[in-house]
Amino acid sequence: MVVEGHERETLVDEVRDGNGDQPLTSLHRSAVGSGISLPSRVDEVDDEILRAQLDGEESLDENFENQTRSTMYIFLLTLAIGGLQISWSTEFSNGTPFLLSLGMSKTLMSLVWIAGPLSGVLVQPVVGMLSDSCMSPFGRRRPFMVGGAVFTSLSLFLLSWSKDIIAGLLGWFTGALGGATQILAIIMVYVLDFSVGTVQASSRAFIVDNVPIHQQQVANAWAAVLTGVGNMIGFILGTMNLPKSFPFLGNTQFKCLAAIASFALIASVALACKYIKEKDPRFDPYVRERRVKRRSILDFFRETVHGISRLSPQVRLICDTEFFAWTGYFPMLFYTTTYVGEMYYQEVIHARDPASPSLTSDEIDELWEEATRYASWSLLFYSLTSLIANILLPLIIAPSYSNPELEKPSRFRIKWLTLPRSWMLSHIVFAVAMLSTFFIQTGTQATIMIAVLGIPWAHALWAPFALIAEDIARIKTNVRHPNFERFEHEAGIIMGVHNVFVSLPQVLSSLASSVIFKFLAKPRGEEDDNSIVWIFRLSGLGAIVAAYLSAKIKTPDQLTVEDMTFKGLSTEEESIDYSGEEENGAAQLSREV
């Protein structure tokens, strides 16, 4: 209601008294005259909110997070994850061979790849907390998704063209070209991984924010499927001779892949940000409170440590499982191409006639290019296995939560196979595959083993994120937990803390790998280099511990009992019931994929 005349002046005077010495602008007078109360702390952001209210803008529906989402909505919501994976698969499949081609030793290369884990430890928690308190009218997560995508594309371009850039700048200092190129490549690897971490952290929180509890499993399954599709696209491109097919993109495989990956990432993030509307954080009092309280960068790291201490027991158990699982995933992701490529290279060398002349330097480089393309086939089979598993698993795994409005259960579902149990079995498969390297002798056998790893990787892309998202949504729904009441706003922090548990073991694994390379690695092309093989074998031990921990993850019924116990409840009527007999989002995905 608009207030006129002396009533408006009286309200303005009252507001001035309430705000002390803070001056009242024409904007504030207009707001008071329109019946809009002024905040106790007036600043630029609060002024922006007043303008929005005067223009008739309102916050989104309070039931925003609980609305059932359509398949197209979930597809667009998770699309950025798929686009990001094409960029990541480019780094994954060609990064190690590219760094080795610059003359780096395996020991130095393993230290360079610490960039990814450091991104998870340092960047993703900060991005999560910054996005949690972001007051942009564009949303909390989308600004970080866009910014991360831009820097990812830029760093991919500079990394893939590093040789040409340094040659153009320092062409007259021929002796310094190699070292300068390595320095630029190392810097760009760090920028790339930090940028990828920014997109990853904001995109995962983007999913948690925008779907209800009964669709968290299906949304994360879609993210896993699109990740598999991104892998497939990236690895199919890796098997092609792209410079021959697309010479305008560059004269090397890595340059062409970087250009295609950059376009895919920008396009997918643009579509997701255009069609998925976030809840306006300017109207969220808790987000405004967080913005006022946080003062320095140290506050972010203090809050990360504090966030670990206030994780729910279920999320903490999932994070502990991730810690040991990722001691094995890291070598699999970064050394697979080199492992298979080396086996292929050695097979070709052994098959050569001993009387034939030695290979020239150019012939060796050409053979390594061929070995890298051969290794990309193993990654293609691996990603195909992962994609098939991501599509089939929601069909057969019993859902954790259900919605009675959805259809009847799938006839393919295995009742005893819950998501935690399936995740536990995937760790066992991973451990067996890693230990099978004792018996692998050929590139074909190595390719089969890598393809099998697609099964545990499919779980890694889906299970922990779905389980964490479900527990966040459960706590958001169960308002009887006062110590978890802020979880509704802290998906970014929780996902950031989760990434700490994912990234720290990668740092440890990378350091351990550098030690093994130091003692066991041989110069490029020499025979009987078993350094990567021993890293694979040791990584299987972490998977065994992860299998043990994942067996302890609680079911929804067990969590419901804990909710009742927490408040001393004695009847089912007083407890929130998360169980159900009807179809849930996971099976919906199985029908719609």
Side-chain angles (χ1 to χ4, degrees):
M1 179 181 69
V2 178
V3 184
E4 298 292 348
H6 70 279
E7 295 181 0
R8 172 179 296 191
E9 296 300 324
T10 300
L11 285 173
V12 170
D13 290 338
E14 291 175 355
V15 172
R16 180 185 291 113
D17 292 338
N19 285 280
D21 295 331
Q22 291 179 345
L24 289 176
T25 66
S26 58
L27 171 66
H28 304 150
R29 293 176 183 274
S30 299
V32 173
S34 299
I36 299 174
S37 61
L38 292 184
S40 59
R41 179 182 182 276
V42 178
D43 61 13
E44 293 180 0
V45 175
D46 292 322
D47 285 355
E48 183 180 352
I49 295 172
L50 291 180
R51 290 190 186 93
Q53 290 175 325
L54 286 170
D55 291 340
E57 295 183 28
E58 300 291 341
S59 60
L60 296 181
D61 185 356
E62 292 182 358
N63 199 40
F64 177 79
E65 296 92 343
N66 296 322
Q67 298 173 7
T68 298
R69 304 302 186 181
S70 67
T71 300
M72 180 56 66
Y73 182 97
I74 293 176
F75 170 77
L76 292 171
L77 177 70
T78 56
L79 185 60
I81 296 288
L84 179 65
Q85 194 64 25
I86 298 177
S87 299
W88 198 87
S89 66
T90 297
E91 180 186 9
F92 170 31
S93 62
N94 283 262
T96 296
F98 176 74
L99 294 180
L100 291 175
S101 73
L102 298 180
M104 286 190 190
S105 66
K106 286 185 177 179
T107 302
L108 176 59
M109 178 198 64
S110 66
L111 295 176
V112 172
W113 289 131
I114 292 181
L118 284 179
S119 168
V121 174
L122 302 177
V123 175
Q124 294 196 35
V126 172
V127 169
M129 284 179 276
L130 281 173
S131 64
D132 280 345
S133 57
C134 178
M135 296 288 288
S136 169
F138 190 54
R140 292 197 293 171
R141 316 300 180 188
R142 290 186 292 177
F144 294 90
M145 294 168 63
V146 172
V150 170
F151 277 95
T152 297
S153 300
L154 179 62
S155 57
L156 269 175
F157 171 80
L158 294 176
L159 177 61
S160 61
W161 286 82
S162 56
K163 285 184 180 180
D164 303 81
I165 293 172
I166 295 300
L169 295 175
L170 303 176
W172 57 92
F173 296 112
T174 56
L177 290 181
T181 302
Q182 290 183 16
I183 292 173
L184 177 60
I186 291 172
I187 293 173
M188 286 303 104
V189 166
Y190 274 78
V191 175
L192 173 60
D193 282 335
F194 282 21
S195 302
V196 167
T198 300
V199 181
Q200 173 82 5
S202 52
S203 297
R204 286 292 179 179
F206 194 52
I207 295 173
V208 176
D209 287 346
N210 290 289
V211 294
I213 183 173
H214 65 273
Q215 287 186 301
Q216 289 293 338
Q217 191 164 313
V218 67
N220 282 277
W222 264 108
V225 168
L226 290 175
T227 297
V229 171
N231 268 332
M232 287 285 295
I233 294 173
F235 296 145
I236 288 174
L237 292 172
T239 63
M240 299 168 58
N241 191 338
L242 294 178
K244 182 178 180 180
S245 302
F246 306 99
F248 57 90
L249 295 179
N251 58 355
T252 68
Q253 186 83 349
F254 192 28
K255 290 176 183 176
C256 295
L257 282 171
I260 296 172
S262 298
F263 172 78
L265 176 60
I266 294 294
S268 62
V269 169
L271 286 172
C273 291
K274 177 176 175 59
Y275 291 105
I276 302 300
K277 185 177 181 181
E278 290 188 81
K279 188 174 183 179
D280 195 331
R282 296 175 300 170
F283 299 95
D284 191 325
Y286 177 72
V287 176
R288 293 168 62 189
E289 177 188 355
R290 288 176 60 82
R291 174 184 54 81
V292 171
K293 287 183 177 180
R294 186 168 292 115
R295 297 294 182 184
S296 69
I297 193 67
L298 290 177
D299 292 332
F300 292 103
F301 296 104
R302 292 192 191 102
E303 190 151 356
T304 298
V305 175
H306 185 54
I308 294 174
S309 66
R310 68 173 189 266
L311 290 176
S312 68
Q314 181 87 332
V315 172
R316 180 56 190 266
L317 183 57
I318 295 167
C319 288
D320 289 342
T321 302
E322 285 278 79
F323 182 91
F324 288 97
W326 273 92
T327 59
Y329 292 155
F330 179 79
M332 173 193 73
L333 294 176
F334 284 97
Y335 303 137
T336 294
T337 306
T338 306
Y339 168 65
V340 178
E342 283 183 345
M343 299 201 73
Y344 176 84
Y345 180 90
Q346 295 297 336
E347 279 190 89
V348 173
I349 294 298
H350 290 159
R352 280 172 50 84
D353 186 349
S356 59
S358 299
L359 296 176
T360 65
S361 177
D362 290 340
E363 288 175 334
I364 291 176
D365 288 340
E366 185 178 344
L367 178 57
W368 276 112
E369 284 280 341
E370 183 181 338
T372 301
R373 285 195 294 270
Y374 179 88
S376 294
W377 278 104
S378 68
L379 295 177
L380 176 59
F381 295 138
Y382 150 90
S383 62
L384 179 61
T385 304
S386 177
L387 178 59
I388 293 173
N390 281 133
I391 293 174
L392 294 181
L393 286 172
L395 269 174
I396 63 176
I397 291 178
S400 302
Y401 300 92
S402 63
N403 186 334
E405 296 179 0
L406 300 178
E407 299 178 9
K408 295 181 179 180
S410 166
R411 64 179 180 274
F412 301 109
R413 182 174 301 153
I414 303 173
K415 292 184 178 180
W416 63 268
L417 188 62
T418 61
L419 186 55
R421 285 176 181 167
S422 186
W423 195 28
M424 176 195 69
L425 293 175
S426 76
H427 296 314
I428 295 175
V429 171
F430 184 88
V432 171
M434 291 292 98
L435 296 176
S436 71
T437 55
F438 279 106
F439 311 103
I440 292 176
Q441 300 295 330
T442 67
T444 301
Q445 294 171 345
T447 299
I448 294 173
M449 186 272 285
I450 298 301
V452 171
L453 291 178
I455 297 174
W457 185 239
H459 286 80
L461 296 174
W462 175 37
F465 296 103
L467 292 170
I468 291 175
E470 285 178 351
D471 207 53
I472 294 173
R474 177 184 68 87
I475 292 171
K476 284 165 59 177
T477 305
N478 189 357
V479 294
R480 296 185 177 93
H481 276 290
N483 55 331
F484 298 137
E485 62 184 358
R486 299 195 300 173
F487 268 44
E488 177 180 359
H489 310 272
E490 295 185 342
I493 292 178
I494 297 169
M495 287 301 179
V497 169
H498 166 252
N499 275 297
V500 171
F501 282 83
V502 166
S503 302
L504 278 178
Q506 296 182 59
V507 174
L508 298 176
S509 180
S510 182
L511 292 174
S513 298
S514 67
V515 173
I516 293 175
F517 285 140
K518 179 68 175 176
F519 291 100
L520 298 181
K522 297 181 179 181
R524 188 186 189 200
E526 284 195 13
E527 298 182 16
D528 301 324
D529 186 345
N530 293 320
S531 53
I532 293 180
V533 174
W534 276 107
I535 292 173
F536 280 3
R537 292 166 185 170
L538 293 175
S539 68
L541 301 179
I544 295 174
V545 179
Y548 168 77
L549 291 173
S550 58
K552 296 184 175 183
I553 295 176
K554 294 180 173 62
T555 66
D557 289 340
Q558 290 172 320
L559 292 171
T560 300
V561 172
E562 287 188 359
D563 291 341
M564 295 169 61
T565 305
F566 181 84
K567 294 296 291 181
L569 302 177
S570 58
T571 65
E572 271 190 16
E573 289 74 21
E574 292 175 294
S575 171
I576 295 178
D577 183 12
Y578 299 111
S579 61
E581 300 176 357
E582 301 297 328
E583 173 68 293
N584 90 322
Q588 179 189 11
L589 170 66
S590 304
R591 295 191 307 273
E592 294 168 331
V593 169

